[in-house]
Amino acid sequence: MCSKIEHITKHNKNMSRNFFIFLPISLLFTLLLGCEGKTPEEFNNEFEIKFNQCFERAKLRCENLNPEACEEKSKQRCESFLGTIDSPIIK
């Protein structure tokens, strides 16, 4: 009977040890997938490029607006699709 209890105890210790090894690895893997393997600088650079492209396309759609109003409207349109550099919309 004691050997069965010892076996169960060892099994439980192994299970808990494996869990605490697996947990950080799975969290790290999830984090890497979430950021697509990009550094913050790469993400910021890519965001700026996308935002600038959006901004230029949106400025082409301005009709009968002065330049300042056109730029503001274009900025608002791109922020609604992409967010801001501080709070990007992740798709």
Side-chain angles (χ1 to χ4, degrees), residues 52-63:
N52 289 339
Q53 290 172 344
C54 175
F55 185 75
E56 293 303 320
R57 285 191 306 269
K59 283 193 337 186
L60 296 175
R61 296 182 180 175
C62 291
E63 296 177 7

Side-chain angles (χ1 to χ4, degrees), residues 9-10 12 16 18 23 31 42 49 52 55-56 58 60 67 88-89:
T9 306
K10 285 181 184 179
N12 288 343
S16 62
N18 288 342
L23 183 64
L31 178 65
E42 290 172 331
I49 290 169
N52 289 339
F55 185 75
E56 293 303 320
L60 296 175
I89 297 172

